[in-house]
Short mmCIF file of all heavy atoms in Angstrom, two decimals:
data_model
loop_
_atom_site.label_atom_id
_atom_site.label_comp_id
_atom_site.label_asym_id
_atom_site.label_seq_id
_atom_site.Cartn_x
_atom_site.Cartn_y
_atom_site.Cartn_z
N ASN A 1 85.20 97.15 95.76
CA ASN A 1 86.51 96.56 95.49
C ASN A 1 87.39 96.50 96.73
O ASN A 1 88.12 95.53 96.94
CB ASN A 1 87.22 97.34 94.37
CG ASN A 1 86.55 97.12 93.03
OD1 ASN A 1 86.02 96.04 92.77
ND2 ASN A 1 86.54 98.14 92.19
N LYS A 2 87.30 97.51 97.60
CA LYS A 2 88.08 97.49 98.85
C LYS A 2 87.55 96.42 99.81
O LYS A 2 88.31 95.73 100.47
CB LYS A 2 88.07 98.86 99.51
CG LYS A 2 88.91 99.88 98.78
CD LYS A 2 88.93 101.19 99.51
CE LYS A 2 89.78 102.20 98.75
NZ LYS A 2 89.82 103.50 99.43
N ILE A 3 86.22 96.30 99.87
CA ILE A 3 85.62 95.26 100.72
C ILE A 3 86.02 93.89 100.21
O ILE A 3 86.39 93.01 100.99
CB ILE A 3 84.08 95.41 100.75
CG1 ILE A 3 83.70 96.69 101.49
CG2 ILE A 3 83.44 94.21 101.43
CD1 ILE A 3 82.23 97.01 101.43
N LEU A 4 85.98 93.69 98.89
CA LEU A 4 86.36 92.42 98.30
C LEU A 4 87.82 92.09 98.59
O LEU A 4 88.15 90.96 98.95
CB LEU A 4 86.11 92.44 96.79
CG LEU A 4 86.56 91.20 96.03
CD1 LEU A 4 85.74 90.00 96.45
CD2 LEU A 4 86.44 91.43 94.54
N LYS A 5 88.68 93.08 98.48
CA LYS A 5 90.10 92.86 98.76
C LYS A 5 90.32 92.42 100.20
O LYS A 5 91.09 91.49 100.47
CB LYS A 5 90.87 94.15 98.47
CG LYS A 5 92.36 94.04 98.63
CD LYS A 5 93.04 95.35 98.27
CE LYS A 5 94.53 95.24 98.48
NZ LYS A 5 95.20 96.52 98.19
N ASP A 6 89.63 93.06 101.14
CA ASP A 6 89.76 92.68 102.56
C ASP A 6 89.18 91.29 102.81
O ASP A 6 89.74 90.51 103.59
CB ASP A 6 89.06 93.70 103.45
CG ASP A 6 89.79 95.04 103.47
OD1 ASP A 6 90.99 95.07 103.12
OD2 ASP A 6 89.15 96.05 103.83
N LEU A 7 88.03 90.97 102.18
CA LEU A 7 87.43 89.65 102.36
C LEU A 7 88.34 88.56 101.82
O LEU A 7 88.53 87.51 102.45
CB LEU A 7 86.07 89.58 101.66
CG LEU A 7 84.91 90.35 102.30
CD1 LEU A 7 83.70 90.35 101.38
CD2 LEU A 7 84.56 89.77 103.64
N LYS A 8 88.93 88.78 100.65
CA LYS A 8 89.81 87.78 100.04
C LYS A 8 91.04 87.54 100.91
O LYS A 8 91.47 86.40 101.10
CB LYS A 8 90.23 88.24 98.64
CG LYS A 8 89.13 88.11 97.61
CD LYS A 8 89.39 88.82 96.32
CE LYS A 8 90.69 88.49 95.67
NZ LYS A 8 90.81 89.09 94.31
N LYS A 9 91.59 88.62 101.46
CA LYS A 9 92.78 88.49 102.29
C LYS A 9 92.44 87.83 103.63
O LYS A 9 93.20 87.00 104.13
CB LYS A 9 93.40 89.86 102.53
CG LYS A 9 94.75 89.80 103.21
CD LYS A 9 95.38 91.17 103.26
CE LYS A 9 95.98 91.44 101.90
NZ LYS A 9 96.91 92.58 101.91
N GLU A 10 91.31 88.18 104.19
CA GLU A 10 90.90 87.66 105.51
C GLU A 10 90.58 86.16 105.45
O GLU A 10 90.95 85.41 106.36
CB GLU A 10 89.68 88.43 105.99
CG GLU A 10 89.15 88.02 107.33
CD GLU A 10 89.90 88.67 108.48
OE1 GLU A 10 90.57 89.68 108.27
OE2 GLU A 10 89.78 88.13 109.59
N PHE A 11 89.88 85.72 104.40
CA PHE A 11 89.38 84.34 104.37
C PHE A 11 90.14 83.43 103.40
O PHE A 11 89.75 82.29 103.19
CB PHE A 11 87.89 84.32 104.00
CG PHE A 11 87.06 85.21 104.89
CD1 PHE A 11 86.15 86.08 104.34
CD2 PHE A 11 87.21 85.19 106.26
CE1 PHE A 11 85.38 86.90 105.15
CE2 PHE A 11 86.46 86.01 107.08
CZ PHE A 11 85.55 86.87 106.52
N CYS A 12 91.21 83.94 102.80
CA CYS A 12 92.05 83.15 101.89
C CYS A 12 91.22 82.47 100.80
O CYS A 12 91.26 81.25 100.62
CB CYS A 12 92.85 82.11 102.66
SG CYS A 12 93.95 82.81 103.88
N CYS A 13 90.45 83.27 100.09
CA CYS A 13 89.64 82.75 98.99
C CYS A 13 89.67 83.75 97.85
O CYS A 13 90.10 84.89 98.03
CB CYS A 13 88.20 82.48 99.44
SG CYS A 13 87.30 83.96 99.89
N ASN A 14 89.24 83.33 96.69
CA ASN A 14 89.17 84.22 95.55
C ASN A 14 87.76 84.79 95.44
O ASN A 14 86.82 84.25 95.99
CB ASN A 14 89.55 83.48 94.27
CG ASN A 14 89.98 84.42 93.17
OD1 ASN A 14 90.07 85.63 93.38
ND2 ASN A 14 90.23 83.87 92.00
N GLY A 15 87.62 85.90 94.71
CA GLY A 15 86.31 86.50 94.55
C GLY A 15 86.32 87.57 93.50
O GLY A 15 87.37 87.93 92.96
N THR A 16 85.13 88.08 93.20
CA THR A 16 84.97 89.12 92.19
C THR A 16 83.72 89.94 92.49
O THR A 16 82.85 89.52 93.25
CB THR A 16 84.88 88.50 90.78
OG1 THR A 16 84.86 89.54 89.83
CG2 THR A 16 83.64 87.65 90.63
N VAL A 17 83.66 91.13 91.86
CA VAL A 17 82.47 91.97 91.93
C VAL A 17 81.78 91.88 90.58
O VAL A 17 82.39 92.13 89.55
CB VAL A 17 82.82 93.43 92.26
CG1 VAL A 17 81.58 94.30 92.24
CG2 VAL A 17 83.51 93.54 93.60
N VAL A 18 80.51 91.49 90.59
CA VAL A 18 79.73 91.29 89.37
C VAL A 18 78.64 92.35 89.30
O VAL A 18 77.98 92.64 90.30
CB VAL A 18 79.09 89.87 89.36
CG1 VAL A 18 78.24 89.68 88.14
CG2 VAL A 18 80.16 88.82 89.45
N GLN A 19 78.47 92.95 88.13
CA GLN A 19 77.40 93.93 87.92
C GLN A 19 76.17 93.21 87.37
O GLN A 19 76.21 92.68 86.27
CB GLN A 19 77.86 95.02 86.95
CG GLN A 19 76.84 96.09 86.70
CD GLN A 19 76.54 96.93 87.94
OE1 GLN A 19 77.42 97.17 88.75
NE2 GLN A 19 75.30 97.34 88.08
N ASP A 20 75.09 93.17 88.15
CA ASP A 20 73.85 92.52 87.74
C ASP A 20 72.83 93.59 87.40
O ASP A 20 72.70 94.57 88.13
CB ASP A 20 73.34 91.64 88.88
CG ASP A 20 72.18 90.77 88.46
OD1 ASP A 20 72.43 89.71 87.85
OD2 ASP A 20 71.03 91.15 88.74
N PRO A 21 72.07 93.43 86.30
CA PRO A 21 71.11 94.47 85.93
C PRO A 21 69.98 94.66 86.94
O PRO A 21 69.49 95.76 87.13
CB PRO A 21 70.56 94.00 84.58
CG PRO A 21 70.97 92.59 84.43
CD PRO A 21 72.13 92.35 85.32
N GLU A 22 69.55 93.60 87.61
CA GLU A 22 68.46 93.70 88.59
C GLU A 22 68.96 94.02 89.99
O GLU A 22 68.37 94.81 90.70
CB GLU A 22 67.67 92.40 88.62
CG GLU A 22 66.90 92.09 87.37
CD GLU A 22 66.17 90.78 87.45
OE1 GLU A 22 66.16 90.17 88.54
OE2 GLU A 22 65.62 90.34 86.43
N LEU A 23 70.05 93.37 90.40
CA LEU A 23 70.50 93.46 91.78
C LEU A 23 71.59 94.49 92.01
O LEU A 23 71.94 94.76 93.15
CB LEU A 23 71.01 92.08 92.23
CG LEU A 23 70.02 90.92 92.05
CD1 LEU A 23 70.70 89.61 92.40
CD2 LEU A 23 68.80 91.14 92.91
N GLY A 24 72.15 95.05 90.96
CA GLY A 24 73.25 96.00 91.12
C GLY A 24 74.56 95.25 91.27
O GLY A 24 74.76 94.20 90.68
N GLN A 25 75.46 95.79 92.09
CA GLN A 25 76.74 95.14 92.29
C GLN A 25 76.61 94.03 93.33
O GLN A 25 76.02 94.21 94.38
CB GLN A 25 77.79 96.14 92.74
CG GLN A 25 78.22 97.09 91.64
CD GLN A 25 79.38 97.96 92.05
OE1 GLN A 25 79.47 98.35 93.20
NE2 GLN A 25 80.26 98.25 91.11
N VAL A 26 77.20 92.87 93.00
CA VAL A 26 77.15 91.70 93.86
C VAL A 26 78.57 91.20 94.04
O VAL A 26 79.32 91.05 93.09
CB VAL A 26 76.27 90.59 93.25
CG1 VAL A 26 76.26 89.36 94.13
CG2 VAL A 26 74.86 91.09 93.03
N ILE A 27 78.96 90.93 95.29
CA ILE A 27 80.26 90.35 95.58
C ILE A 27 80.12 88.84 95.57
O ILE A 27 79.23 88.29 96.24
CB ILE A 27 80.79 90.83 96.94
CG1 ILE A 27 81.00 92.34 96.92
CG2 ILE A 27 82.07 90.11 97.31
CD1 ILE A 27 81.42 92.91 98.25
N GLN A 28 80.99 88.15 94.82
CA GLN A 28 81.00 86.69 94.79
C GLN A 28 82.30 86.20 95.38
O GLN A 28 83.37 86.68 95.01
CB GLN A 28 80.88 86.18 93.35
CG GLN A 28 79.53 86.35 92.74
CD GLN A 28 79.46 85.74 91.34
OE1 GLN A 28 80.48 85.45 90.73
NE2 GLN A 28 78.25 85.55 90.86
N LEU A 29 82.22 85.22 96.28
CA LEU A 29 83.39 84.61 96.90
C LEU A 29 83.34 83.11 96.69
O LEU A 29 82.26 82.51 96.69
CB LEU A 29 83.42 84.91 98.40
CG LEU A 29 83.55 86.36 98.80
CD1 LEU A 29 83.32 86.51 100.30
CD2 LEU A 29 84.91 86.89 98.43
N GLN A 30 84.51 82.49 96.57
CA GLN A 30 84.57 81.04 96.43
C GLN A 30 84.36 80.38 97.79
O GLN A 30 84.90 80.83 98.80
CB GLN A 30 85.91 80.60 95.86
CG GLN A 30 86.08 80.92 94.41
CD GLN A 30 87.41 80.42 93.88
OE1 GLN A 30 88.28 80.03 94.62
NE2 GLN A 30 87.55 80.43 92.57
N GLY A 31 83.59 79.31 97.79
CA GLY A 31 83.38 78.53 99.00
C GLY A 31 82.21 79.04 99.83
O GLY A 31 81.58 80.05 99.52
N ASP A 32 81.95 78.34 100.92
CA ASP A 32 80.87 78.71 101.84
C ASP A 32 81.44 79.65 102.89
O ASP A 32 82.01 79.23 103.89
CB ASP A 32 80.28 77.45 102.49
CG ASP A 32 79.06 77.75 103.34
OD1 ASP A 32 78.63 78.92 103.37
OD2 ASP A 32 78.54 76.81 103.97
N GLN A 33 81.27 80.94 102.67
CA GLN A 33 81.83 81.96 103.55
C GLN A 33 80.73 82.75 104.26
O GLN A 33 80.97 83.87 104.70
CB GLN A 33 82.70 82.93 102.73
CG GLN A 33 83.78 82.30 101.91
CD GLN A 33 84.90 81.71 102.74
OE1 GLN A 33 85.06 82.04 103.90
NE2 GLN A 33 85.66 80.81 102.14
N ARG A 34 79.54 82.19 104.40
CA ARG A 34 78.41 82.94 104.94
C ARG A 34 78.66 83.44 106.35
O ARG A 34 78.47 84.63 106.64
CB ARG A 34 77.14 82.09 104.91
CG ARG A 34 76.62 81.82 103.52
CD ARG A 34 75.46 80.89 103.53
NE ARG A 34 75.91 79.57 103.96
CZ ARG A 34 75.13 78.54 104.20
NH1 ARG A 34 73.83 78.67 104.06
NH2 ARG A 34 75.62 77.39 104.56
N LYS A 35 79.08 82.58 107.25
CA LYS A 35 79.30 83.00 108.64
C LYS A 35 80.48 83.95 108.74
O LYS A 35 80.45 84.91 109.52
CB LYS A 35 79.53 81.77 109.52
CG LYS A 35 78.29 80.94 109.70
CD LYS A 35 78.52 79.78 110.62
CE LYS A 35 77.27 78.94 110.73
NZ LYS A 35 77.48 77.76 111.58
N ASN A 36 81.51 83.70 107.95
CA ASN A 36 82.68 84.57 107.98
C ASN A 36 82.34 85.97 107.50
O ASN A 36 82.73 86.97 108.13
CB ASN A 36 83.79 83.99 107.08
CG ASN A 36 84.31 82.67 107.59
OD1 ASN A 36 84.21 82.36 108.77
ND2 ASN A 36 84.87 81.89 106.70
N VAL A 37 81.59 86.07 106.40
CA VAL A 37 81.22 87.38 105.86
C VAL A 37 80.30 88.10 106.83
O VAL A 37 80.42 89.32 107.03
CB VAL A 37 80.56 87.22 104.47
CG1 VAL A 37 79.98 88.53 103.99
CG2 VAL A 37 81.57 86.69 103.47
#
């Protein structure tokens, strides 16, 4: 949640943390933020 908060503030996008049964916790961000992340 702290990482998500910093990412959202840094890149001006929305996002959430999703709990996946196979992958565990996954951070989702809106837009193509691959290089930024």
